[in-house]
Every structure is written in C-alpha cells, then in structure tokens.
Amino acid sequence: QKEVEQNSGPLSVPEGAIASLNCTYSDRGSQSFFWYRQYSGKSPELIMFIYSNGDKEDGRFTAQLNKASQYVSLLIRDSQPSDSATYLCAVPAGVGAGSYQLTFGKGTKLSVIP
Amino acid sequence: DAGVTQSPTHLIKTRGQHVTLRCSPISGHKSVSWYQQVLGQGPQFIFQYYEKEERGRGNFPDRFSARQFPNYSSELNVNALLLGDSALYLCASSSFQSSYNSPLHFGNGTRLTVT
C-alpha cells in the first residue's frame, strides 16, 4: 500500500513570508509528484508537478524533490492571503504505463495572516 | 477551452437509493478517473477509464460502477447508497493513460449527501 504523508497543519505564516509544505512517500520507485491546491468547498487545482531530483520553479512556487530521502516539498514565496488553502501532495500508485491512479496525502492547511 | 465538467453539482439522496454522476473530460483527453473525497481527507481513487476500457479500480465495493462512452464522457453509478457515501465526487481527465508528463485535471465535483 503506497502511502503519502503530510502534516495536516494548520500552518500559519505572515503575509510576505515563505511557506514551506512537506510531503513524504513510501514507494521508492515513484517517478512523478504533484502538488494540488484546494480551496474550501472547491475541487483540487494543479499548481506544480515535478519528475526530476532538484528544484522546479514556477512564479512564486518552487517544488523540491529528493528521491533519496523520499520527500517532496513546496515553497511559496511572498505568501498572500489568497494562498490560504489546503495543499495536497499526490504520487502515482504505479510506475509507468498500465493505469493512472494518484495516491493523495491528507493535505496541509495553510493560513496566510495579513 | 472548457475544463472538466461534472453534473449535477449537488445531490441529496436517501439511503438505499441509486445515483448517477456524469463527467465530460477536457477536449482531446481520453483518460477519465473518478475520486471520492470525504471531509478532511485527500481524494481517494475509485476508477480510471482509458479509451473506454477500465484500466484501474480502487478499493471500493461492487456498489460502485462506471463506464466511459465513445465521446470519452463518463458516468459513475452508485447503488444501495449508504450514509458513508456522502462525499465530494471528483472526475479528472488527462491526455494519456499514465501519469508521466500528463497531470490530472479535476472538475468542480458533485457534492453527494445521503440522508
């Protein structure tokens, strides 16, 4: 059973600070990793995906992947109140072709304080 | 371009009844997946269809079934509803069968309440 672990929070940061969200996964063979943002009562929205070790930057968001340590993190720079949401980490249940199933963590609730 | 569309947005049913949820994927996407999300939890995989064939099934009872039509739209059916089936049901589509370089895009979901 593949597992994805996230700290449920809530994580509170002041406006303008860097928010750091972490996720660990159990399957060492996992190849791709996704971060989704979910506002209360809404559906998950893809914000980042990463396949290679290292960092991937997109605007104020940076995803960091460390396959040796089996963790992936999401940094949000210059946090804004509009970033307040639950952030879900997701890992494919299988490697390669065959089926497309994502295993999600429970999510980390982020609150950005003005 | 239209995103993933789901209908209805909200639904209230009584225990023992049957429900059908509908989903239209993003144009050009051939893979459709269904997820159940209960309050406070991450989405949980139910089914995946690719090119009208079932390619994956999660740990859900046989009361749950789905199908994909020639136009790639999909239905999720749940029979003999239980109170525990109350959840947000999410449909997601992707370009390809596997996750590599093909992220899932979710619809707005159907909120099912079973009383």
Side-chain angles (χ1 to χ4, degrees), chain A residues 92-105:
Chain A
V95 176
S99 70
Y100 192 160
Q101 307 175 26
L102 290 184
T103 298
F104 284 84

Side-chain angles (χ1 to χ4, degrees), chain B:
Chain B
D1 286 343
V4 178
T5 58
Q6 292 187 243
S7 63
T9 55
H10 294 84
L11 205 51
I12 300 176
K13 290 286 189 178
T14 305
R15 278 177 295 177
Q17 286 188 316
H18 162 271
V19 67
T20 297
L21 310 180
R22 296 179 174 82
C23 170
S24 293
I26 292 171
S27 178
H29 285 192
K30 298 180 179 180
S31 177
V32 172
S33 303
W34 288 94
Y35 287 77
Q36 180 196 66
Q37 187 177 25
V38 298
L39 199 62
Q41 301 293 318
Q44 187 173 359
F45 173 77
I46 309 176
F47 286 109
Q48 185 223 352
Y49 280 78
Y50 181 77
E51 286 284 15
K52 296 156 290 215
E53 292 186 7
E54 182 182 303
R55 299 303 180 114
R57 173 185 286 254
N59 187 24
F60 281 81
D62 292 343
R63 299 184 296 107
F64 288 76
S65 64
R67 55 179 174 169
Q68 186 177 32
F69 299 100
N71 66 354
Y72 301 110
S73 66
S74 177
E75 283 183 354
L76 175 69
N77 295 283
V78 187
N79 293 323
L81 285 167
L82 303 174
L83 295 178
D85 295 330
S86 296
L88 179 66
Y89 287 85
L90 297 162
C91 176
S93 74
S94 64
S95 302
F96 299 106
Q97 181 180 356
S98 69
S99 66
Y100 188 77
N101 210 26
S102 178
L104 281 185
H105 298 271
F106 285 90
N108 290 328
T110 294
R111 174 73 62 185
L112 172 64
T113 302
V114 181
T115 62

Side-chain angles (χ1 to χ4, degrees), chain A residues 4-110:
Chain A
V4 178
E5 299 288 340
Q6 294 182 257
N7 188 328
S8 62
L11 172 66
S12 294
V13 300
E15 184 175 355
I18 296 176
S20 178
L21 305 162
N22 298 312
C23 170
T24 59
Y25 57 95
S26 62
D27 181 13
R28 187 170 291 276
S30 296
Q31 298 291 315
S32 51
F33 307 86
F34 303 90
W35 282 99
Y36 285 84
R37 177 176 63 197
Q38 187 172 29
Y39 292 112
S40 181
K42 303 296 184 181
S43 64
E45 172 193 11
L46 178 72
I47 53 173
M48 290 284 284
F49 60 96
I50 186 168
Y51 302 100
S52 303
N53 261 339
D55 296 359
K56 179 181 178 182
E57 187 174 318
D58 185 1
R60 295 186 297 112
F61 298 96
T62 299
Q64 298 176 321
L65 175 60
N66 186 323
K67 290 186 178 181
S69 300
Q70 293 179 239
Y71 83 79
V72 55
S73 61
L74 180 70
L75 301 179
I76 307 175
R77 292 183 300 280
D78 188 24
S79 295
Q80 300 297 309
S82 59
D83 295 326
S84 298
T86 296
Y87 289 81
L88 297 163
C89 174
V91 178
V95 176
S99 70
Y100 192 160
Q101 307 175 26
L102 290 184
T103 298
F104 284 84
K106 292 184 178 180
T108 298
K109 187 173 183 179
L110 173 66

